[in-house]
Amino acid sequence: MSYETAIPPGEPTYECSYCGQPFSRDEYLVLHRGLEHGDELTDDEVSAFHDVYEEETEEMRLFRLKILGVLVLLYFGFLFTYSVVT
């Protein structure tokens, strides 16, 4: 599957050696290779994919916790505002 990517002029590009698709960050390239070309990767590339994937998973987990905290604060903020106003 090919996605349309746009990289600003003058920015460094990282191109997939398997399909030629460009990426703006090396991490995106590593994730792409692991997800799209997993059967063709060397052991070093598989190891790099697992490292980047774990890091991305941890970042997403932290993001979800932050969003949950914001939603809880909003909920109780509206609840207390409602109880004061009525």
Side-chain angles (χ1 to χ4, degrees):
M1 177 178 283
S2 178
Y3 298 100
E4 192 70 30
T5 56
I7 300 172
E11 293 291 320
T13 60
Y14 303 91
E15 192 170 298
C16 179
S17 58
Y18 298 103
C19 66
Q21 187 169 355
F23 294 92
S24 61
R25 295 180 60 191
D26 186 44
E27 292 85 8
Y28 299 156
L29 173 61
V30 172
L31 288 171
H32 163 77
R33 283 181 182 162
L35 295 173
E36 297 295 327
H37 310 291
D39 297 337
E40 305 167 28
L41 298 180
T42 65
D43 290 339
D44 291 337
E45 289 173 329
V46 169
S47 177
F49 168 72
H50 287 296
D51 292 342
V52 172
Y53 186 80
E54 286 177 18
E55 183 179 324
E56 184 82 8
T57 302
E58 184 61 34
E59 288 176 11
M60 287 300 296
R61 187 174 295 127
L62 182 60
F63 174 75
R64 288 178 184 147
L65 283 173
K66 288 179 181 179
I67 293 300
L68 178 62
V70 167
L71 289 175
V72 167
L73 288 175
L74 277 172
Y75 173 76
F76 283 108
F78 284 129
L79 181 65
F80 289 139
T81 302
Y82 177 75
S83 68
V84 169
V85 171
T86 57

